[in-house]
Amino acid sequence: MKAKITLLFTFLFIGLNLVNSQSNEEDMATLSIMTEYAKAKNYEAAYKPFMELRQRNPKFNRAIYVYGEKILGDKIKKSTGTEKVAFVNDLLKLWDERGTHFASKTPKGEYAAKGCQLMYDHKSILNKTDQELYECFDAAYNLDKATFKNPKSLYIYFKLMVALYDGGKKPAKDLFNKYDDVAEKIEDEVKLASGKLNKLIEKEDAGTALASKEKKYKKYYSQVLTAYDKVSGSIDSELGERANCENLIPLYTKDFEEYQNDAVWLKRAVSRMFYKECTDDPLYERLVKAYDELSPSADTKVFVAGILMKKGKTSEAEGYFNEAYDLEEDTFKKSKLAYRIGTILKKKGKYGKARGYFRNALKLNPSNGRPHLAIATMYAASANRCGDTTFNKRAVYWLAADEARKAGRVDPTLKKASAQSAKSYSAKAPSKSDIFSAANSGQTIRIGCWIGASVTVPKV
């Protein structure tokens, strides 16, 4: 009897394996057909095997969802009316199914944001309001901030907040807080991409050629930085005059008592008033003092130094700048800090010390070309002061043009600005006829004062 039972289970086991084997073969064949059509971008032909496999065995292979997204995207693009709505909803459903069957390969924030973006892109046929869409993006952001990093979606997220504020559905406080959320998120992503790009730039600068794969990564990181740079400018444009001093000062005055012990609130308030040039109001100094007392840091020291500068206490202010720079340990933040200090000193006409900070910023973050453009601007502004003859004064513009070109070489976001600046400076430098008249072709000219550099006259 026992032998018969054992034999029965053996036949059942073999039978199940045969069924599974046949099922797997069928699924593999369907997957292969779908994949071949999809790779050839014949999405219409790929739709039938895709749907069959998706319904029969949704956890068989992640390719169901990778190619399925493209297949349904094609259907959405080519359909209209209720049919388009059905395909949009099916793509949303597909992403949910992917999250169920391949959770570890489906980042929650990324895919939640993709769903919101899809609904935003088709909001008219889906009858979605700005409020509904904002709540969708907000839920995605709060669900998994780390993987909510698509530049376009971050921009739309903030744009919807602006629309709600303009429509009287969100207060100014919420608008400014959301701006800070998105701006800080963009900065985090820029920091990550810059760090990876800097390693490749440093390798090239050391004379080592990049491998084929590294060149692709360099191009990718450059594209990422360009995308975030555009989005950063776009959210600033969206905020626009809504964050002017007339709006900020009453808001922060009203909220100060409630938030004076909140370091994050103080940092954001001080930063926004600083960048919006609301620093003449007494509230600014009050905020800075509260921020420095509550959470002293490199950041607070720079703000304190700015106030001292305004009061004419230059020497004391420069001491605070040095202290701030020494305090900061994070490389990316230290680079940003050096650029900030350099910019403040540049505005005060302290070009030599400003250049020192700009050069420090470049050492810490070589893929940020803005310090190069700032140095070029200072060179050009000093042409009349630092040249000892008419020719040598104009020769300073060669230095400025060369510095401007460096910005475009290291920073993909500044290629256009770099080229325009270099062209403008070169046009002000001595012409070929000037060089011929001066009879100094190929000679080296020493530029004095704070610049303290040499420039070689082009050969003609």
Side-chain angles (χ1 to χ4, degrees):
M1 181 68 180
K2 186 176 180 181
K4 289 181 180 179
I5 292 173
T6 302
L7 190 60
L8 176 62
F9 276 115
T10 300
F11 283 128
L12 284 172
F13 179 75
I14 293 170
L16 286 171
N17 275 346
L18 286 170
V19 171
N20 287 335
S21 177
Q22 290 169 355
S23 176
N24 283 341
E25 286 179 8
E26 184 182 6
D27 291 340
M28 187 59 74
T30 307
L31 177 68
S32 179
I33 294 168
M34 177 200 76
T35 301
E36 288 304 311
Y37 280 134
K39 281 183 176 179
K41 296 186 178 180
N42 186 351
Y43 299 122
E44 191 65 37
Y47 181 73
K48 184 174 182 291
F50 153 66
M51 289 297 290
E52 286 178 1
L53 186 55
R54 174 189 179 189
Q55 291 165 4
R56 188 170 66 236
N57 193 354
K59 59 177 72 174
F60 180 66
N61 193 294
R62 187 160 54 94
I64 297 169
Y65 304 94
V66 174
Y67 289 116
E69 181 176 329
K70 295 177 181 180
I71 292 165
L72 289 176
D74 183 69
K75 287 287 188 182
I76 292 168
K77 184 179 178 180
K78 293 177 178 176
S79 58
T80 57
T82 55
E83 188 180 30
K84 183 186 281 283
V85 171
F87 284 126
V88 168
N89 286 328
D90 199 29
L91 180 51
L92 293 171
K93 182 182 176 185
L94 182 75
W95 286 331
D96 285 340
E97 291 169 356
R98 174 180 171 137
T100 299
H101 301 298
F102 294 92
S104 64
K105 298 291 185 179
T106 310
K108 292 180 180 179
E110 177 185 344
Y111 277 83
K114 285 176 76 164
C116 301
Q117 188 67 54
L118 183 66
M119 288 189 281
Y120 177 85
D121 292 341
H122 300 91
K123 63 180 182 179
S124 57
I125 63 169
L126 295 175
N127 295 316
K128 293 291 183 181
T129 65
D130 286 344
Q131 181 73 45
E132 289 173 322
L133 291 166
Y134 175 78
E135 288 172 359
C136 180
F137 278 107
D138 196 45
Y141 181 83
N142 291 316
L143 174 68
D144 183 12
K145 176 183 172 183
T147 65
F148 185 130
K149 54 187 179 182
N150 180 277
K152 181 180 177 182
S153 293
L154 284 167
Y155 167 66
I156 297 300
Y157 181 28
F158 182 67
K159 184 179 181 180
L160 288 165
M161 167 58 85
V162 172
L164 294 176
Y165 168 78
D166 288 346
K169 295 178 181 178
K170 291 286 184 181
K173 179 164 62 176
D174 287 357
L175 173 68
F176 298 148
N177 284 339
K178 191 49 59 185
Y179 172 86
D180 288 326
D181 286 343
V182 174
E184 288 167 9
K185 174 61 180 172
I186 290 171
E187 183 175 319
D188 288 343
E189 296 303 324
V190 168
K191 177 181 177 179
L192 286 171
S194 296
K196 292 173 180 177
L197 180 59
N198 287 340
K199 289 179 181 178
L200 298 174
I201 290 174
E202 288 165 4
K203 185 174 180 179
E204 282 186 312
D205 289 345
T208 305
L210 297 181
S212 176
K213 191 174 183 180
E214 289 175 318
K215 288 179 181 178
K216 290 178 181 178
Y217 277 128
K218 183 183 177 184
K219 182 180 179 181
Y220 169 72
Y221 297 137
S222 296
Q223 290 172 337
V224 168
L225 289 173
T226 299
Y228 281 118
D229 185 65
K230 288 179 180 178
V231 169
S232 182
S234 295
I235 67 166
D236 283 342
S237 297
E238 286 290 339
L239 186 63
E241 288 302 307
R242 296 171 184 84
N244 57 27
C245 299
E246 289 73 19
N247 289 334
L248 294 175
I249 292 168
L251 175 67
Y252 293 147
T253 300
K254 177 174 69 69
D255 290 346
F256 181 74
E257 292 302 322
E258 181 180 353
Y259 294 105
Q260 61 182 312
N261 293 314
D262 185 331
V264 173
W265 184 88
L266 287 168
K267 176 185 178 180
R268 289 180 168 187
V270 169
S271 297
R272 191 170 295 108
M273 288 191 70
F274 175 81
Y275 287 113
K276 289 296 180 178
E277 299 183 351
C278 308
T279 55
D280 289 334
D281 193 273
L283 174 66
Y284 176 72
E285 186 169 345
R286 190 179 173 198
L287 288 167
V288 169
K289 285 181 177 178
Y291 182 28
D292 189 44
E293 288 173 6
L294 181 65
S295 182
S297 65
D299 201 39
T300 65
K301 302 306 175 190
V302 173
F303 290 124
V304 171
I307 291 172
L308 291 170
M309 274 280 198
K310 188 160 287 198
K311 292 180 176 180
K313 299 179 180 180
T314 305
S315 179
E316 192 177 347
E318 288 176 1
Y320 268 91
F321 284 140
N322 292 334
E323 183 183 355
Y325 185 75
D326 291 340
L327 274 173
E328 186 55 70
E329 296 180 351
D330 181 279
T331 301
F332 184 78
K333 290 181 180 178
K334 198 178 186 78
S335 171
K336 286 194 68 179
L337 189 66
Y339 180 73
R340 242 173 85 196
I341 295 172
T343 301
I344 293 170
L345 292 170
K346 173 174 168 278
K347 287 180 179 179
K348 291 294 181 180
K350 299 208 170 272
Y351 289 167
K353 290 181 178 177
R355 181 177 60 182
Y357 277 106
F358 286 138
R359 284 178 172 171
N360 284 340
L362 288 166
K363 288 177 187 175
L364 294 163
N365 184 14
S367 62
N368 178 15
R370 285 176 175 77
H372 282 303
L373 290 181
I375 293 171
T377 301
M378 294 191 297
Y379 284 164
S382 303
N384 287 329
R385 182 156 60 96
C386 295
D388 56 355
T389 67
T390 300
F391 187 94
N392 289 358
K393 290 178 192 293
R394 293 177 62 193
V396 174
Y397 289 107
W398 280 322
L399 281 176
D402 186 53
E403 195 71 33
R405 289 188 195 98
K406 291 177 185 177
R409 284 199 292 269
V410 301
D411 191 336
T413 71
L414 295 176
K415 287 191 180 297
K416 185 177 180 181
S418 167
Q420 289 175 337
S421 295
K423 183 179 179 181
S424 174
Y425 296 140
S426 295
K428 296 175 182 178
S431 64
K432 288 183 179 180
S433 59
D434 293 327
I435 296 171
F436 183 79
S437 298
N440 58 2
S441 173
Q443 293 181 16
T444 299
I445 296 173
R446 181 70 183 170
I447 306 298
C449 72
W450 73 270
I451 294 178
S454 297
V455 61
T456 301
V457 178
K459 291 183 179 182
V460 295

